[in-house]
């Protein structure tokens, strides 16, 4: 211990400032590299999109910040999941709760269901994602109103066993954890505010 004291006494404020400056510079470099890596992944993420993101964000050329934001939100929302072109055959069965309403399921998974037959003229499809009771309640209200107008399908994406349904469940779990964390902390950290409160 006594051999350490002379060494500690020889450290000056300049040494401390140099060490602190080096640590801050290293952190800035790491953040810049991570930011640029996110922005670089923008093209691979958006390739094949049906939505033109340049028009959506209102920029002629998407800025580095916008590309990084899209890539980060994409990563947080869907991880490494890739879009699929595979279709899932659907079947439907009468709802036990709402008269004249047909509830969709994956074909062959629900006894007594028959293949879905959608006609553009007389069919209404109400799609919902069961993430919290509010989404489901509103969709059921719309379905009960629409059921009197013609053939109405209630299509709950979580009702269909698929990788997309699992992705929605994972997103809901992450959202719930984030909500609980924000509630326990009492604030939303400043770095998260643009993503949480953007319009």
């Amino acid at each position: 211990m006594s051999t350490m004291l002379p060494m500690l006494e020889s450290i000056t404020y300049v040494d401390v400032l140099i060490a602190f400056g080096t640590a801050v510079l290293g952190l800035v470099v790491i953040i810049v590299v991570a930011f640029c890596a996110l922005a670089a992944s923008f093209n691979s993420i958006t390739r094949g999109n049906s939505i033109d993101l340049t028009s959506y964000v209102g920029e002629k050329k998407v800025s580095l910040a916008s590309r990084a934001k899209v890539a980060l939100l994409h990563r947080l929302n869907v991880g490494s999941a890739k879009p699929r072109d595979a279709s899932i055959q659907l079947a439907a069965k009468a709802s036990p709760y709402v008269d004249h309403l047909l509830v969709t399921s994956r074909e062959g998974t629900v006894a007594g269901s028959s293949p879905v037959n959608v006609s553009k003229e007389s069919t209404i499809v109400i799609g919902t994602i069961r993430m919290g009771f509010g989404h489901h309640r509103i969709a059921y209200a719309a379905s009960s109103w629409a059921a009197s107008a013609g053939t109405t399908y209630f299509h709950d994406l979580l009702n269909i066993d698929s990788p997309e349904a699992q992705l929605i469940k994972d997103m809901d779990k992450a959202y719930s954890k984030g909500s609980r964390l924000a509630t326990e902390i009492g604030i939303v950290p400043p770095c998260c505010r643009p993503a949480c409160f953007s319009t």
Side-chain angles (χ1 to χ4, degrees):
M1 190 75 155
S2 59
T3 57
M4 292 284 291
L5 288 177
M7 193 168 87
L8 289 176
E9 289 173 0
S10 66
I11 295 176
T12 65
Y13 288 110
V14 173
D15 294 332
V16 171
L17 287 174
I18 289 171
F20 180 74
T22 304
V24 168
L25 181 63
L27 184 61
V28 167
V29 167
I30 289 170
I31 289 171
V32 167
V33 167
F35 186 79
C36 290
L38 272 173
S41 67
F42 174 82
N43 288 336
S44 65
I45 289 170
T46 58
R47 189 176 301 121
N49 276 6
S50 57
I51 297 170
D52 178 17
L53 286 174
T54 12
S55 340
Y56 180 75
V57 295
E59 300 173 2
K60 290 182 180 176
K61 184 174 188 250
V62 183
S63 68
L64 185 68
S66 291
R67 291 194 311 253
K69 180 179 177 181
V70 167
L72 176 64
L73 291 176
H74 181 273
R75 185 74 179 168
L76 291 173
N77 282 319
V78 298
S80 60
K82 301 284 184 214
R84 296 183 322 140
D85 288 331
S87 61
I88 297 173
Q89 297 304 313
L90 299 177
K93 185 177 180 180
S95 168
Y97 308 108
V98 178
D99 291 336
H100 311 294
L101 180 65
L102 300 167
V103 180
T104 61
S105 61
R106 191 174 195 140
E107 195 171 64
T109 59
V110 176
S113 61
S114 57
V116 168
N117 184 12
V118 176
S119 160
K120 290 183 181 178
E121 291 80 30
S122 62
T123 304
I124 298 173
V125 178
I126 307 288
T128 183
I129 300 174
R130 196 177 347 129
M131 290 177 74
F133 185 61
H135 296 84
H136 213 56
R137 185 176 54 204
I138 291 169
Y140 251 117
S143 298
S144 61
W145 166 81
S148 61
T151 305
T152 304
Y153 290 101
F154 184 78
H155 183 63
D156 178 9
L157 293 174
L158 288 180
N159 203 27
I160 313 300
D161 182 31
S162 66
E164 291 79 12
Q166 186 59 49
L167 180 63
I168 293 167
K169 290 174 190 172
D170 294 343
M171 288 171 62
D172 188 39
K173 191 177 359 174
Y175 174 79
S176 295
K177 281 182 184 177
S179 294
R180 280 194 301 277
L181 182 63
T183 301
E184 289 171 11
I185 293 173
I187 60 164
V188 175
C191 63
C192 299
R193 288 183 188 148
C196 295
F197 303 117
S198 62
T199 55

